[in-house]
Amino acid sequence: MKIIHCLNYFLPGQVAGTEIYAFSLARELIKKDINALILIPNYNSDTNSEYFYEGIRVIQFAETSTMDRALIMGKRKPHGVLTFIEILKEEKPDIVHFHELEWGSGITLHHVLAAKKEGFKTVMTFHLASYSCKTGSLVYKDKDLCNGKIEIRKCTECYFYQQKISSFKNSLLSATAMLPYKVGYNLTRFNSKMATALGFPFVIQKMKDDLKSLAENCDQLVVYAKWYA
């Protein structure tokens, strides 16, 4: 069996929880005679590369996308998706295991959808809460544990609170932002801070839609932290 673990970065270039988790998992799978390797973007490069880290094979796929608002907002695909799929076709893994998704030029929802479209078995492990919580904390306004439900206005107000917007301005801004949302006029199409703020309910809606799409296109979702489950 072959499993490809997909991350945005890996050891030794970056040392953080997700990288350590994927490294430990791959190492244990290899001990069980499972072919486990890592696939990460080769940022700002038009060539693929490869290296080994403590016996684990790491493939870097070419990713030349320039970061801009459209990419961060998920309105266009990163250039590297095609190269990513070419590597999957060449390696022929039994499972493509995603460990993190980026809002930009790294591993994204587009990569998951492309892998699933090509017929690969897909798994997604949730290491962080950012897939359903824009603040990444699941704590409502830094005070109360969130119930986990994605509610457009509540989540918008919570995010505004995280941006240090006062209570009065928060209520006024979120109420105003809900008006174009209710009539379906997405202000995030305009490139300005005010348009993004007034269009933030659509950002929350997209997060909710993306989570649903992710669930529909993964054969297995893994949530190993009780606080997130």
Side-chain angles (χ1 to χ4, degrees):
M1 174 179 283
K2 178 186 284 190
I3 302 176
I4 291 183
H5 298 276
C6 304
L7 300 86
N8 288 310
Y9 303 94
F10 192 64
L11 307 168
Q14 177 162 305
V15 182
T18 303
E19 289 79 16
I20 296 296
Y21 180 96
F23 165 70
S24 301
L25 178 57
R27 186 171 56 181
E28 292 303 312
L29 290 172
I30 290 172
K31 289 179 181 178
K32 298 181 182 297
D33 295 323
I34 295 174
N35 185 356
L37 58 136
I38 306 295
L39 182 58
I40 62 175
N42 194 13
Y43 293 104
N44 302 315
S45 176
D46 58 2
T47 60
N48 300 331
S49 64
E50 188 173 318
Y51 67 93
F52 282 83
Y53 181 80
E54 295 195 18
I56 298 175
R57 183 178 170 218
V58 182
I59 301 175
Q60 296 176 288
F61 66 90
E63 176 51 79
T64 59
S65 298
T66 300
M67 289 292 286
D68 57 21
R69 190 171 186 275
L71 196 63
I72 294 172
M73 296 290 286
K75 296 182 182 297
R76 68 179 179 89
K77 298 179 182 179
H79 296 156
V81 173
L82 293 178
T83 308
F84 174 83
I85 291 301
E86 288 175 0
I87 290 176
L88 293 187
K89 289 180 177 179
E90 182 178 334
E91 293 293 331
K92 298 180 175 62
D94 297 283
I95 297 173
V96 183
H97 189 160
F98 294 89
H99 288 272
E100 58 184 340
L101 302 182
E102 182 62 81
W103 302 96
S105 62
I107 300 290
T108 68
L109 177 60
H110 296 295
H111 294 74
V112 178
L113 300 180
K116 188 62 179 178
K117 184 177 179 180
E118 292 296 332
F120 293 102
K121 295 291 184 181
T122 55
V123 174
M124 177 72 199
T125 291
F126 292 86
H127 293 265
L128 301 172
S130 55
Y131 306 102
S132 65
C133 174
K134 267 298 175 183
T135 69
S137 66
L138 279 179
V139 178
Y140 181 66
K141 294 185 177 181
D142 287 340
K143 297 177 182 178
D144 303 312
L145 292 178
C146 183
N147 60 14
K149 295 180 181 179
I150 302 175
E151 299 174 11
I152 305 302
R153 180 159 182 174
K154 182 192 76 172
C155 295
T156 297
E157 291 178 346
C158 184
Y159 182 81
F160 286 165
Y161 179 87
Q162 287 287 331
Q163 302 306 303
K164 309 302 181 183
I165 297 175
S166 67
S167 180
F168 173 75
K169 289 182 178 179
N170 188 332
S171 297
L172 180 62
L173 184 58
S174 58
T176 304
M178 288 302 294
L179 296 177
Y181 174 76
K182 289 178 179 179
V183 298
Y185 189 70
N186 192 344
L187 290 170
T188 64
R189 71 186 70 182
F190 301 108
N191 188 11
S192 74
K193 291 184 178 180
M194 182 55 69
T196 299
L198 292 176
F200 206 80
F202 286 96
V203 175
I204 299 297
Q205 184 64 56
K206 186 177 187 307
M207 179 182 68
K208 188 173 184 178
D209 294 341
D210 286 350
L211 181 62
K212 180 180 179 182
S213 181
L214 181 62
E216 291 174 346
N217 286 277
C218 284
D219 296 282
Q220 185 70 46
L221 298 177
V222 180
V223 181
Y224 64 81
K226 290 182 179 179
W227 67 273
Y228 194 24

